Amino acid sequence: MKAGDLLERFQAHDWRALARAITIVENDGQEKPLVMRAAYRDAGKDCMVVGLTGAGGAGKSTLVDCLISAYREEGATVGVLAVDPSSPYTGGALLGDRLRMGRHSGDPGVFIRSFASRGELGGISQGAKDALYLYKAFGFDVILLESLGAGQGETEIRNFTDVTAVVLAPGNGDDIQLAKAGIQEIADIFVLNKMDRPGAGSLHLQLSAMLDLLPAERRPMLVRTAASKGRGIEELLSAIESAYARSEGTRGARERARIEDEIFSGALSRWKEAVKGQVARLADRVSAGELTPQEAAALLGGQIRLGEPFGGGADEEER
């Protein structure tokens, strides 16, 4: 399919065109620059992007499933970007969590796509960041972004969403997560999920005590849910709406942070691809005893010049 035909069908809200466009941008297809330029131009400003992050096992996917149902009952169209751990063998997404959203697969108002994390330290892959523009341009009313995390490093989601919910659960080690500065700073809402389980009361008391120490204007909201039983979802929806209204004054700063992040991460992705061959050649020299790993890293680092391409062979390495 030619790029012009694809964009025409995309603008006509053809779901298959959206899926094809996502595949192009995720795999760095030849048509990606044209597709991304069109998406960036048409990306709507009035859709709400809600992020959910948290450690594995906290129940994020079940919560997303509940939110899909709630927004669909209100008549809103919903796009879901779910970032999964990457397979260490194929690099693809491990799609087990998507089974929890399977009941929405036939709904014409819902589009769900999984993305492999591909080792991104910030918790969101480059493909998911690019696809977010496609979702906005397609015109969803609500976009739900489920990311990996959450640790001190998996905080990028804050820059790409209007509202960020950090999902915690008892018995999941989340009392330790609460002490991490990054977790406290990215949350607009703390969702205490699986609150029908043992240890829920203790986790709630710990988090409440922590939040009481924060200034009122910076204090995240706290919502208790048991998503597997459908409990607390109305309260979560209300908290999301309140956080969205409260975030209006910070959206400009978040957008600026997002743009800077995209420029850096996009460039870094290209740098990684560019140096793979160099790393392999240097690894051969380390294996042969010519260099230590530290010396090889110094040689590679010495070749990095802003505005200059990577490349060169052994002669360049010795300069």
Side-chain angles (χ1 to χ4, degrees), residues 166-194:
V166 174
V167 184
L168 308 172
N172 210 31
D174 286 335
D175 52 340
I176 298 174
Q177 297 287 342
L178 294 178
K180 296 182 177 180
I183 299 303
Q184 298 178 28
E185 292 163 1
I186 67 171
D188 296 301
I189 305 168
F190 277 110
V191 182
L192 302 187
N193 194 31
K194 303 183 180 181

Side-chain angles (χ1 to χ4, degrees), residues 13-288:
H13 294 89
D14 185 320
W15 295 92
R16 286 174 295 184
L18 171 60
R20 174 61 181 157
I22 292 173
T23 299
I24 288 172
V25 301
E26 189 176 20
N27 295 328
D28 289 322
Q30 185 177 358
E31 305 93 341
K32 179 176 177 177
L34 182 62
V35 171
M36 288 303 300
R37 180 172 288 275
Y40 193 86
R41 180 194 65 216
D42 296 336
K45 300 292 185 181
D46 54 352
C47 65
M48 179 172 63
V49 183
V50 180
L52 293 95
T53 187
K60 299 186 298 295
S61 294
T62 305
L63 271 173
V64 169
D65 179 73
C66 292
L67 288 174
I68 293 171
S69 296
Y71 283 123
R72 289 300 291 143
E73 288 178 4
E74 296 176 358
T77 56
V78 183
V80 179
L81 296 90
V83 182
D84 282 295
S86 294
S87 165
Y89 302 105
T90 67
L94 303 177
L95 306 180
D97 284 350
R98 303 291 76 74
L99 296 175
R100 297 184 178 89
M101 305 178 201
R103 61 185 175 130
H104 301 290
S105 60
D107 187 336
V110 178
F111 184 89
I112 302 171
R113 181 73 171 242
S114 290
F115 296 84
S117 63
R118 300 192 177 181
E120 292 289 340
L121 296 179
I124 307 176
S125 66
Q126 186 62 40
K129 295 173 186 176
D130 292 338
L132 184 57
Y133 280 112
L134 297 175
Y135 276 57
K136 290 181 177 180
F138 199 76
F140 290 107
D141 297 314
V142 178
I143 299 172
L144 302 176
L145 172 58
E146 178 188 339
S147 85
L148 294 176
Q152 287 169 298
E154 292 91 6
T155 58
E156 277 189 325
I157 190 170
R158 172 77 172 182
N159 296 336
F160 292 84
T161 60
D162 300 308
V163 177
T164 302
V166 174
V167 184
L168 308 172
N172 210 31
D174 286 335
D175 52 340
I176 298 174
Q177 297 287 342
L178 294 178
K180 296 182 177 180
I183 299 303
Q184 298 178 28
E185 292 163 1
I186 67 171
D188 296 301
I189 305 168
F190 277 110
V191 182
L192 302 187
N193 194 31
K194 303 183 180 181
M195 293 306 286
D196 53 334
R197 294 191 175 185
S202 174
L203 180 59
H204 182 264
L205 288 174
Q206 290 180 54
L207 184 53
S208 297
M210 184 196 78
L211 295 181
D212 286 342
L213 299 176
L214 298 176
E217 66 274 9
R218 289 181 43 235
R219 190 176 302 160
M221 286 173 278
L222 178 58
V223 178
R224 296 165 57 107
T225 63
S228 62
K229 298 180 179 179
R231 297 177 185 169
I233 304 305
E234 289 186 8
E235 291 80 358
L236 178 55
L237 285 173
S238 178
I240 289 172
E241 290 298 325
S242 296
Y244 182 68
R246 192 166 67 178
S247 72
E248 184 174 1
T250 63
R251 285 176 206 162
R254 287 196 194 190
E255 183 174 3
R256 174 69 183 197
R258 172 185 55 76
I259 291 171
E260 291 183 359
D261 181 279
E262 288 179 318
I263 293 171
F264 179 76
S265 62
L268 189 60
S269 294
R270 285 165 173 78
W271 291 338
K272 285 180 180 179
E273 290 299 317
V275 301
K276 279 183 179 179
Q278 295 281 55
V279 170
R281 287 193 291 272
L282 289 168
D284 289 339
R285 296 180 62 186
V286 172
S287 297

